[in-house]
Amino acid sequence: MNPGSGTLIINIMSEGKAETYEGVYQCTARNERGAAISNNIVVRPSRSPLWTKEKLEPIILQNGQHLVLSCRPPIGLPPPIIFWMDNSFQRLPQSERVSQGLNGDLYFSNVLPEDTREDYICYARFNHTQTIQQKQPISVKVISVDELNDTIAADLSDTEFYGAKPSRERPPTFLTPEGNSSNKEELRGNVLSLECIAEGLPTPIIHWIKEDGTLPINRTFYKNFRKTLQIIHVSEADSGKYQCIAKNALGVIHHTISVTVKAAPYWIVAPRNLVLSPGEDGSLICRPNGNPKPKISWLTNGVPIEIAPDDPSRKIDGDTIIFSNVQERSSAVYQCNASNEYGYLLANAFVNVLAEPPRILTSADTLYQVIANRPALLDCAFFGSPLPTIEWFKGAKGSALREDIYVLHENGTLEIPVAQKDSTGTYTCVARNKLGVAKNEVQLEIKDPTRIIKQPEYAVVQRGGTVSFECKVKHDHTLIPTVMWLKDNGELPDDGRFTVDKDHLVVADVGDDDGGTYTCVANTSLDSVSASAVLSVVAPTPTPAPIYDVPNPPFDLELTNHLDKSVQLSWTPGDDNNSPITKFIIEYEDSMHEAGLWHHQTEVSGIQTTAQLNLSPFVNYSFRVVAVNSIGRSVPSQVSEHYLTKAAEPDKNPTTVEGLGSEPDNLVITWKPLNGFESNGPGLQYKVSWRQKDGDDEWTSVVVANVSKYIVSGTPTFVPYLIKVQALNDVGFAPEPAVVTGHSGEDLPMVAPGNVHVNVVNSTLAEVHWDPVPLKSIRGHLQGYRIYYWKAQNLSKRSKRHIEKKILTFQGSKTHGMLPGLEPFSHYRVNVRVVNGKGEGPASPDKVFNTPEGVPSAPSSLKIVNPTLDSLTLEWEPPGHPNGILTEYTLKYQPINSTHELGPLVDLKIPANKTRWTLKNLNFSTRYKFYFYAQTAAGSGSQITEEGVTTVDEAMASRQVDIATQGWFIGLMCAVALLILILLIVCFIRRNKGGKYPVKEKEDAHADPEIQPMKEDDGTFGEYSDAEDHKPLKKGSRTPSDRTVKKEDSDDSLVDYGEGVNGQFNEDGSFIGQYSGKKEKEPAEGNESSEAPSPVNAMNSFV
């Protein structure tokens, strides 16, 4: 045994055979407080026995049969590793057809001629003895059917006949395991290996499924060409039925393996050391699990607890030892042994009964330095019995630090999750138990983080040029930074062209090899930062013109000088892109109340890089900065850190406070609530106060949640109230609010207006007067007065028909109103009601008034009937609205001559009871215009007009002769036609300059039988074919007004001027045809216009 270590060393090489030391070992450690024991340690020597000598006969089999070559190695400790090789120590190839099983045997699903060999050798390797054992070689010969038949025939007489048949394709069968099902047990935590090897022709394919579940994805593996299924880290959940499926073209077979996962004991709760002070209670828990369930036994100082000295302070309850009112003599080492058939567990637990005042083990006045916005861990290692309680304090008179901001760990460590500048100070750790108190002070300093505020930027430099990378570092003034440059994560080349000063790396005479990534690394004792830029080296190019753009966004936003209602924001400007920055716009976000919404905070000039910002209480601020130049605005900067201002009482009260009742006995107080930004703290509520304005009552108040309405019930009807609403939160009240006046709910008015009387102004207008209603009886806000009026009957018709009532509302306190649009000569009723916010009051008694007569409307109709040679009869309907009693009708009429001139006007009075009147002694065949209207005592109404015509005298009409049949008229028309014909001939002669028209010979071969066009070169006409003399000319042909001629027509053909005329020319060009007008003359209309007197029209008119 090594001195002082308890380690037992056995030197087998010099102290005998290994078998001598085979056995079970256990270590025991003992002192005056107790004894602890180790697990059992089993020592067994490894063994690698030799293979038994055996004679193996050669194996001859037919092509396609299955084959199993057994290995059966000697049993060794530990078991050997099996593999198959040939005489040349080359591993035998394996495939889906040929594979080695878990037991070491070599399986052939079917054999092929290439499987023939004499050196199938199974090797067993024993790792612990570093030896390899070899089985005798196995000879296998695969022959074809013909070879097998020749072998059989040589061994038989001529009288016998046998023949081997070729091996046919066959469905799969399992070589291992056998049968349709099998069982498998495995220990928890081990590797579960399931194997299925099948024979068949063609070679079967193996698949695996779990019948009552799915295979675990991350723990399932397939080996040996999917013939072996392995599941690592098996647990009880992997128990179940697994099925392997072998399939080829001829069939499918299944084998079910029932897997049961057993478990050696393992800990759920292991017993732990226990430190108790005298008189305290405690317990040791030993809770293992396993399959089958482990058996638990307890030992004390290595002795079974049943035979150990009795201790009245302990009690055994299964897997738990319960201690009560322990004393110092109860100190001991307890062992828990949990075992089943697959193994055992042993754990030692020291029960130490001590009475020790607290001791703090951390060194006093330890200084902790932490970078801002990182966690700070302040240690307070302690010891004591009973277990001390730990409290932390900040400063000399600070209160105990609470876990809502800080994290207090069980080992006494105080964690500040996000250390800020105001976390700097002295922290005191206090450990207490009933035996005493211990204190220890530590110091915490918060340092500003090291930042690279001006990072190196990507650069493109021409060969031979100079490049400068800037790396400006900002750090805590108490820390000393070191700045180093790297190229491609390595040291800079040892070259005088590389110059490093405080903030810059300058590379002169740049070459192609200088391209790469340059990194600036700034280190302090507490942190490290870096920034990189890429240098690209290019061939020299002309200098480009400067590019003007909006600024790059500011960066490196920092909040300092944190106060309750202000903070200082600083930033570093981005590149101005050749246009100076004119101003910076600062925006803020309140992530507590309006996350994602940015508001304008302030603006500063473009030369400033800091701003003092005024803040509101209880807002979780974050800021961003936008740079502006003459081109435009930059994109916003990155968001600054968050700053949560302290809560404060509200500094304003709700607005739009109103008091209106919704019912006669309530008062609804409403207001516009404060938003989250205005709340200034958590727990926003409102103090609602009210009292009657004209009474001496005290204020009644109630505090409500963050709502916008409160209803006061049980109030008198429409009473003025003084109202105020004050905001408050968990910190305190807002300033005293302003008092507003409201009213409780209104009710319908009680009294109708009195002394209603009507003054009729004219036949369509009346004025109504009334006395106002007393204010108290209105019981609400006076909205005005409402007049209802309706026509009861018409005085002329005495109709009892009900007319719909009309309503007019007069706002405010008016006591009179006009009723327009009345109907004349009608009987009206009217009443008046007062209106408040609730509705109308009772109606006043109906007042009756009559409108005087008015002028009537026009007669409903007027028509002329039964016209004769000298008379006309008029019929009419009376006016639809007589507006009084009709006194008479007035008829005025006058003749209209053929030039629409009006003759003298005749005025005629007709009694009112007439609806028909006949006018006599009128002129025959004359048109008359009539004007007709009715009259009442008020005057004449609107007129209606109509026109009528007397008939024609038949005797006179018969004396009229149709001028179109007179001879003189026919002669006149013939003369006109002859004159027009002469004019046409003269025109044709003048057009052709007086020359004669030569006539060409008739051309029989001409394709077109129609009239040929005139030649353009000599102006002659083509000749007409005799065969076409009787062909009618086209009708309705006209020369267009623009003097264009259709292509298919002759330019000067007179055929176009006639209809149905057979025209011919003599050889001298003279016209020899005759006009024959076959068109019937149309009747003339007096008001129709004729066509212009063109030659064409003249010819068409000729008859």
Side-chain angles (χ1 to χ4, degrees):
M1 234 173 48
N2 281 350
S5 70
T7 300
L8 178 64
I9 298 175
I10 301 175
N11 192 340
I12 299 177
M13 301 300 294
S14 62
E15 299 183 13
K17 295 182 179 181
E19 287 79 359
T20 306
Y21 300 100
E22 185 173 359
V24 180
Y25 294 78
Q26 189 174 47
C27 173
T28 301
R30 191 183 305 274
N31 64 11
E32 72 271 7
R33 308 291 288 183
I37 59 177
S38 70
N39 286 325
N40 289 340
I41 301 170
V42 179
V43 177
R44 298 179 64 186
S46 64
R47 298 182 178 87
S48 53
L50 298 175
W51 227 300
T52 304
K53 295 293 184 180
E54 56 183 334
K55 183 178 180 181
L56 300 176
E57 297 292 335
I59 300 173
I60 301 174
L61 69 166
Q62 182 183 342
N63 182 16
Q65 291 182 319
H66 72 273
L67 173 64
V68 180
L69 300 182
S70 299
C71 181
R72 298 193 183 94
I75 298 174
L77 188 67
I81 299 172
I82 306 300
F83 50 92
W84 289 80
M85 294 195 298
D86 57 15
N87 278 331
S88 302
F89 295 100
Q90 298 298 316
R91 285 186 179 270
L92 296 177
Q94 298 189 20
S95 63
E96 291 181 344
R97 187 178 62 85
V98 182
S99 60
Q100 177 182 317
L102 295 176
N103 61 358
D105 293 348
L106 191 62
Y107 293 86
F108 294 77
S109 295
N110 50 77
V111 295
L112 298 174
E114 56 262 31
D115 296 328
T116 299
R117 64 190 313 146
E118 297 178 351
D119 53 352
Y120 285 94
I121 305 173
C122 180
Y123 290 86
R125 184 175 67 209
F126 298 90
N127 284 344
H128 276 68
T129 60
Q130 297 182 356
T131 58
I132 296 178
Q133 302 291 344
Q134 173 184 334
K135 185 184 176 81
Q136 292 293 326
I138 303 174
S139 175
V140 175
K141 183 176 182 181
V142 180
I143 59 177
S144 64
V145 176
D146 295 336
E147 292 176 325
L148 186 57
N149 284 333
D150 292 343
T151 302
I152 294 173
D155 295 335
L156 298 176
S157 63
D158 295 337
T159 60
E160 296 177 318
F161 176 77
Y162 291 94
K165 297 181 180 180
S167 180
R168 295 181 179 178
E169 292 185 346
R170 59 188 181 279
T173 57
F174 283 113
L175 298 176
T176 182
E178 298 178 352
N180 294 327
S181 62
S182 59
N183 298 314
K184 173 75 173 181
E185 286 187 359
E186 190 56 76
L187 288 181
R188 179 179 183 270
N190 288 354
V191 177
L192 172 65
S193 295
L194 303 178
E195 181 181 58
C196 278
I197 300 177
E199 64 88 11
L201 189 64
T203 303
I205 303 300
I206 304 295
H207 295 280
W208 292 89
I209 61 171
K210 187 177 182 183
E211 292 185 0
D212 50 355
T214 58
L215 296 172
I217 297 175
N218 297 327
R219 296 186 292 114
T220 301
F221 300 93
Y222 297 98
K223 305 286 185 180
N224 198 19
F225 307 99
R226 298 184 70 90
K227 300 175 184 178
T228 302
L229 170 69
Q230 286 189 345
I231 301 177
I232 63 174
H233 308 304
V234 293
S235 64
E236 289 84 346
D238 296 318
S239 298
K241 292 184 178 181
Y242 293 79
Q243 191 176 94
C244 65
I245 304 168
K247 179 181 180 181
N248 68 5
L250 276 71
V252 180
I253 57 173
H254 304 78
H255 183 91
T256 301
I257 305 174
S258 297
V259 174
T260 303
V261 178
K262 301 292 186 178
Y266 58 92
W267 290 119
I268 297 177
V269 179
R272 301 173 61 184
N273 294 337
L274 189 62
V275 178
L276 300 173
S277 63
E280 282 190 327
D281 301 335
S283 63
L284 286 179
I285 299 176
C286 176
R287 192 159 296 158
N289 199 6
N291 186 10
K293 188 172 181 63
K295 178 181 178 182
I296 296 175
S297 60
W298 289 95
L299 297 88
T300 303
N301 296 327
V303 177
I305 201 167
E306 293 81 6
I307 60 175
D310 188 37
D311 184 351
S313 66
R314 73 172 177 239
K315 176 184 177 183
I316 300 176
D317 184 10
D319 60 2
T320 304
I321 298 180
I322 302 172
F323 297 95
S324 58
N325 193 23
V326 296
Q327 303 301 319
E328 291 192 18
R329 66 176 179 273
S330 300
S331 295
V333 180
Y334 288 83
Q335 290 83 32
C336 175
N337 186 309
S339 59
N340 65 11
E341 59 188 277
Y342 298 106
Y344 81 99
L345 293 172
L346 180 68
N348 292 278
F350 179 35
V351 178
N352 192 6
V353 180
L354 289 175
E356 290 284 341
R359 286 182 291 162
I360 295 179
L361 308 180
T362 301
S363 301
D365 295 323
T366 300
L367 175 62
Y368 294 92
Q369 294 181 328
V370 178
I371 296 297
N373 299 319
R374 295 185 182 179
L377 298 173
L378 308 183
D379 294 331
C380 182
F382 64 91
F383 179 77
S385 181
L387 185 68
T389 59
I390 301 298
E391 287 184 309
W392 281 91
F393 299 85
K394 182 182 179 184
K397 297 181 180 179
S399 58
L401 303 181
R402 297 178 299 174
E403 290 198 17
D404 55 349
I405 300 176
Y406 301 90
V407 179
L408 302 178
H409 294 274
E410 291 184 359
N411 63 355
T413 297
L414 173 68
E415 179 182 352
I416 306 173
V418 181
Q420 301 288 343
K421 279 288 191 179
D422 56 4
S423 302
T424 299
T426 301
Y427 291 80
T428 303
C429 169
V430 179
R432 290 187 178 90
N433 68 10
K434 62 183 180 180
L435 300 179
V437 178
K439 297 182 180 180
N440 186 38
E441 290 185 352
V442 297
Q443 305 296 323
L444 175 61
E445 293 181 355
I446 306 302
K447 305 295 184 181
D448 290 330
T450 304
R451 294 188 302 277
I452 300 176
I453 60 175
K454 186 65 174 176
Q455 299 184 359
E457 297 179 350
Y458 171 77
V460 178
V461 180
Q462 300 174 10
R463 284 191 294 271
T466 299
V467 65
S468 176
F469 291 108
E470 184 178 5
C471 182
K472 189 173 183 180
V473 178
K474 186 175 183 180
H475 60 90
D476 191 281
H477 67 280
T478 62
L479 301 177
I480 301 175
T482 59
V483 178
M484 62 182 298
W485 287 88
L486 304 176
K487 180 180 183 297
D488 296 330
N489 295 322
E491 294 184 358
L492 291 177
D494 187 10
D495 191 330
R497 296 181 300 108
F498 291 81
T499 305
V500 178
D501 60 13
K502 180 181 178 182
D503 297 328
H504 294 82
L505 166 65
V506 179
V507 183
D509 191 18
V510 174
D512 291 337
D513 293 340
D514 297 327
T517 301
Y518 289 83
T519 304
C520 167
V521 181
N523 295 304
T524 67
S525 58
L526 297 180
D527 62 349
S528 176
V529 291
S530 64
S532 299
V534 175
L535 172 63
S536 296
V537 182
V538 297
T541 56
T543 302
I547 298 175
Y548 299 92
D549 201 353
V550 298
N552 291 347
F555 57 93
D556 189 33
L557 272 64
E558 181 181 10
L559 296 177
T560 55
N561 298 338
H562 299 76
L563 300 177
D564 289 347
K565 292 190 177 182
S566 69
V567 70
Q568 180 172 293
L569 174 66
S570 60
W571 62 90
T572 300
D575 195 324
D576 62 7
N577 291 324
N578 300 308
S579 179
I581 296 174
T582 57
K583 65 179 179 180
F584 292 100
I585 300 174
I586 301 171
E587 299 174 334
Y588 73 90
E589 177 198 27
D590 177 10
S591 60
M592 183 185 303
H593 303 109
E594 296 177 318
L597 186 62
W598 288 91
H599 303 273
H600 182 275
Q601 173 78 19
T602 187
E603 295 180 4
V604 297
S605 68
I607 61 174
Q608 287 185 237
T609 58
T610 61
Q612 191 72 24
L613 307 178
N614 295 323
L615 308 179
S616 296
F618 198 59
V619 176
N620 193 13
Y621 281 98
S622 57
F623 300 94
R624 68 184 187 185
V625 183
V626 177
V628 181
N629 65 8
S630 60
I631 308 300
R633 295 164 55 112
S634 72
V635 299
S637 67
Q638 294 293 320
V639 179
S640 72
E641 60 182 299
H642 286 270
Y643 178 46
L644 176 61
T645 55
K646 293 183 179 179
E649 64 275 5
D651 51 20
K652 63 185 298 186
N653 286 303
T655 58
T656 321
V657 178
E658 293 182 347
L660 296 172
S662 61
E663 298 294 338
D665 59 348
N666 73 7
L667 171 65
V668 180
I669 302 173
T670 60
W671 59 90
K672 181 180 178 182
L674 304 181
N675 58 38
F677 186 82
E678 298 168 333
S679 65
N680 286 4
L684 178 63
Q685 294 178 302
Y686 300 100
K687 180 182 178 183
V688 184
S689 304
W690 68 92
R691 69 177 179 88
Q692 288 193 26
K693 181 178 181 181
D694 300 327
D696 298 329
D697 298 342
E698 296 293 329
W699 287 93
T700 302
S701 300
V702 63
V703 176
V704 299
N706 187 11
V707 294
S708 60
K709 180 173 69 174
Y710 182 76
I711 300 176
V712 181
S713 302
T715 63
T717 301
F718 196 65
V719 173
Y721 276 85
L722 297 179
I723 302 167
K724 56 184 180 180
V725 180
Q726 185 178 22
L728 67 148
N729 59 21
D730 292 349
V731 179
F733 287 83
E736 184 66 21
V739 178
V740 299
T741 300
H743 285 80
S744 57
E746 301 179 56
D747 205 348
L748 295 176
M750 301 171 59
V751 177
N755 193 24
V756 177
H757 59 279
V758 181
N759 296 329
V760 178
V761 178
N762 55 40
S763 62
T764 61
L765 181 65
E767 185 177 19
V768 182
H769 292 262
W770 61 89
D771 290 341
V773 173
L775 292 178
K776 288 188 177 181
S777 66
I778 295 177
R779 300 199 295 180
H781 294 284
L782 176 63
Q783 302 289 332
Y785 290 88
R786 190 167 292 161
I787 299 177
Y788 285 76
Y789 64 100
W790 63 97
K791 187 172 72 172
Q793 63 183 11
N794 187 293
L795 294 179
S796 61
K797 297 182 179 179
R798 302 297 179 184
S799 173
K800 298 294 185 178
R801 182 172 57 89
H802 176 70
I803 304 298
E804 182 181 359
K805 294 182 179 181
K806 297 182 180 179
I807 303 172
L808 286 178
T809 301
F810 298 90
Q811 303 293 334
S813 57
K814 294 185 66 174
T815 58
H816 64 90
M818 305 298 289
L819 304 183
L822 303 177
E823 294 185 14
F825 203 58
S826 297
H827 184 75
Y828 277 91
R829 289 180 177 273
V830 64
N831 60 49
V832 185
R833 312 176 191 201
V834 67
V835 181
N836 65 10
K838 189 71 174 179
E840 299 176 349
S844 67
D846 291 351
K847 285 292 182 179
V848 178
F849 68 94
N850 297 322
T851 54
E853 290 189 66
V855 296
S857 62
S860 300
S861 66
L862 176 65
K863 56 185 178 180
I864 311 298
V865 298
N866 300 328
T868 65
L869 188 66
D870 60 352
S871 68
L872 292 173
T873 300
L874 281 70
E875 293 183 353
W876 64 88
E877 293 289 337
H881 299 282
N883 295 335
I885 299 175
L886 298 180
T887 58
E888 62 183 1
Y889 292 103
T890 298
L891 174 65
K892 297 180 180 180
Y893 63 93
Q894 58 189 146
I896 305 174
N897 62 19
S898 59
T899 61
H900 301 286
E901 294 179 352
L902 298 176
L905 185 67
V906 179
D907 192 339
L908 181 65
K909 302 295 184 182
I910 300 174
N913 58 350
K914 299 293 183 179
T915 59
R916 179 185 178 94
W917 195 264
T918 301
L919 298 176
K920 299 181 178 180
N921 299 321
L922 302 178
N923 297 329
F924 64 88
S925 186
T926 302
R927 182 178 296 276
Y928 287 88
K929 187 168 185 178
F930 300 93
Y931 310 90
F932 190 67
Y933 54 89
Q935 286 181 298
T936 64
S940 301
S942 301
Q943 69 180 11
I944 184 172
T945 63
E946 186 59 85
E947 293 184 4
V949 182
T950 56
T951 60
V952 179
D953 187 351
E954 296 179 358
M956 183 178 293
S958 63
R959 292 194 296 268
Q960 296 180 357
V961 180
D962 187 357
I963 191 172
T965 63
Q966 299 301 307
W968 63 269
F969 181 77
I970 296 174
L972 178 62
M973 291 295 103
C974 290
V976 171
L978 181 60
L979 178 61
I980 292 173
L981 178 60
I982 294 171
L983 290 175
L984 286 175
I985 294 173
V986 171
C987 289
F988 277 115
I989 295 173
R990 289 178 62 86
R991 180 174 180 180
N992 290 278
K993 300 180 181 179
K996 293 184 178 181
Y997 294 93
V999 179
K1000 296 177 62 178
E1001 296 295 332
K1002 189 177 295 182
E1003 297 176 357
D1004 296 335
H1006 199 281
D1008 189 0
E1010 297 290 339
I1011 302 170
Q1012 299 302 311
M1014 183 177 63
K1015 293 185 179 181
E1016 295 182 359
D1017 52 352
D1018 58 3
T1020 59
F1021 284 86
E1023 186 176 355
Y1024 289 87
S1025 171
D1026 293 338
E1028 299 296 331
D1029 285 347
H1030 302 286
K1031 183 176 180 179
L1033 299 178
K1034 296 180 181 179
K1035 292 184 178 181
S1037 176
R1038 297 290 185 269
T1039 301
S1041 60
D1042 59 358
R1043 306 192 60 81
T1044 59
V1045 181
K1046 293 183 180 179
K1047 184 176 181 180
E1048 67 270 19
D1049 297 331
S1050 173
D1051 290 343
D1052 293 313
S1053 174
L1054 289 178
V1055 178
D1056 286 339
Y1057 293 105
E1059 294 186 4
V1061 179
N1062 295 326
Q1064 295 181 355
F1065 288 90
N1066 286 327
E1067 292 183 357
D1068 61 358
S1070 62
F1071 186 76
I1072 62 174
Q1074 294 181 349
Y1075 293 98
S1076 61
K1078 298 181 180 181
K1079 184 176 180 180
E1080 294 181 3
K1081 187 176 79 172
E1082 298 179 357
E1085 293 290 342
N1087 58 352
E1088 291 182 358
S1089 62
S1090 62
E1091 294 182 358
S1094 65
V1096 177
N1097 290 330
M1099 293 179 66
N1100 286 335
S1101 306
F1102 186 78
V1103 292

